[in-house]
């Protein structure tokens, strides 16, 4: 139990569907992240939020839309995805955005399959 | 671009032996490094970290070594157990909030 909870753990969606991934952290952290993990590739940073404000959009296509309503919740809204978007989507949090000495803690991930 | 890489994608180790997982990084300005363990079907789990002003740090059964001269990071696991079977990632802090991850080393523990 890392204190970062993601739902759903598994999701299968069609290319025309709209779905959302949810993340909640119980650590009192101020920064939250979305990462994408594809097979045989390093983790890719997608979005960074600090105190509910987005500070990074790492060239992510607009079919991925993040939302951070408060410092403990983070969503990733999905719309008209492509099969190549199938991956493990990891939510993470850290005490602050300044990482030197501030570890990032990951959730268990949401396995997404786009059909 | 600069990236973090691992020397070997797989490592097979006998139960009870020590494991050494290596990682090379190229950003000499990185000042913070982390090792993560990822078991099948789970998210990455923090193992141990080290700042660039140190060259060694020990945890429970794990030791991280940092050699800034050759930009090399290693994770040593003492008395490897079956529960240590997982993918191990190193990550370097390349700026305030960005971590650059290696592709991972898959460790398999033989009984």
């Amino acid at each position: 139990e890392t204190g970062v909870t993601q739902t759903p753990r598994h999701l299968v969606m069609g290319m025309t569907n709209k779905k959302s991934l949810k993340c909640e952290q119980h650590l009192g952290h101020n920064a939250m992240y979305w990462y994408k993990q594809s097979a045989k590739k390093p983790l890719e940073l997608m979005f960074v939020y600090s105190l509910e404000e987005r500070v990074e959009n790492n060239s992510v296509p607009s079919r991925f839309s993040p939302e951070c309503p408060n410092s403990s919740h983070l969503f990733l809204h999905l719309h008209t995805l492509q099969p190549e978007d199938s991956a493990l989507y990891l939510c993470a949090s850290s005490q602050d955005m300044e990482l030197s000495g501030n570890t990032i803690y990951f959730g268990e991930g949401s396995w997404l399959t786009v059909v | 671009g600069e990236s973090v890489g691992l020397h070997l994608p797989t490592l097979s180790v006998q139960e009870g032996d020590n494991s050494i997982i290596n990682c090379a990084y190229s950003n000499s300005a990185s000042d913070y490094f982390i090792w993560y363990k990822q078991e099948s079907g789970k998210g990455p789990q923090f193992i141990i970290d080290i700042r660039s002003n140190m060259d060694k740090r020990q945890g429970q059964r794990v030791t991280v070594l940092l050699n800034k001269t050759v930009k090399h990071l290693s994770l040593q696991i003492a008395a490897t157990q079956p529960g240590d079977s997982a993918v191990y990632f190193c990550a370097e802090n390349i700026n305030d909030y960005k971590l650059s991850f290696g592709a991972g080393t898959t460790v398999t523990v033989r009984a």
Side-chain angles (χ1 to χ4, degrees):
Chain A
E1 175 59 49
T2 64
V4 181
T5 304
Q6 290 186 241
T7 56
R9 292 296 314 280
H10 299 270
L11 177 64
V12 179
M13 61 185 289
M15 289 188 284
T16 58
N17 290 160
K18 287 184 181 180
K19 297 286 185 183
S20 296
L21 306 181
K22 179 183 175 183
C23 176
E24 182 176 1
Q25 57 98 359
H26 314 277
L27 302 168
H29 288 170
N30 295 319
M32 295 188 75
Y33 309 78
W34 281 114
Y35 279 84
K36 177 183 179 182
Q37 187 176 34
S38 304
K40 309 298 183 186
K41 292 174 69 175
L43 274 73
E44 303 170 54
L45 178 65
M46 300 175 71
F47 300 104
V48 181
Y49 276 82
S50 177
L51 296 171
E52 302 126 57
E53 287 195 21
R54 190 192 308 182
V55 297
E56 175 78 19
N57 175 346
N58 200 24
S59 302
V60 180
S62 59
R63 58 186 184 269
F64 295 91
S65 175
E67 178 190 359
C68 188
N70 54 62
S71 60
S72 61
H73 290 85
L74 186 65
F75 295 88
L76 187 62
H77 303 299
L78 314 170
H79 178 46
T80 60
L81 295 192
Q82 304 299 311
E84 59 265 29
D85 296 322
S86 299
L88 178 66
Y89 288 86
L90 291 160
C91 176
S93 71
S94 62
Q95 184 60 56
D96 295 294
M97 264 203 324
E98 176 58 52
L99 287 182
S100 185
N102 252 333
T103 304
I104 284 185
Y105 293 93
F106 286 89
E108 300 287 43
S110 293
W111 286 96
L112 173 66
T113 302
V114 182
V115 297
Chain B
E2 294 170 322
S3 62
V4 175
L6 290 168
H7 290 302
L8 292 173
T10 62
L11 176 68
S12 179
V13 61
Q14 185 69 38
E15 181 178 357
D17 288 352
N18 296 334
S19 304
I20 299 177
I21 306 165
N22 295 304
C23 181
Y25 65 94
S26 57
N27 187 343
S28 57
S30 294
D31 62 357
Y32 179 56
F33 304 87
I34 311 171
W35 280 101
Y36 286 94
K37 171 187 180 183
Q38 187 172 22
E39 296 175 83
S40 181
K42 296 188 176 182
Q45 176 187 359
F46 170 84
I47 302 173
I48 192 167
D49 58 1
I50 188 167
R51 294 195 189 214
S52 59
N53 61 354
M54 303 172 69
D55 53 22
K56 180 179 180 179
R57 190 160 188 231
Q58 289 185 289
Q60 187 177 10
R61 276 200 312 118
V62 295
T63 301
V64 56
L65 299 177
L66 176 63
N67 185 331
K68 294 180 289 293
T69 303
V70 295
K71 297 201 220 47
H72 184 267
L73 190 70
S74 69
L75 178 70
Q76 300 178 2
I77 305 173
T80 310
Q81 301 169 0
D84 295 325
S85 292
V87 179
Y88 290 81
F89 298 93
C90 62
E92 67 176 315
N93 181 207
I94 59 176
N95 69 19
D96 286 346
Y97 53 81
K98 282 190 176 177
L99 290 180
S100 177
F101 287 85
T105 292
T106 300
V107 173
T108 303
V109 180
R110 305 188 307 272

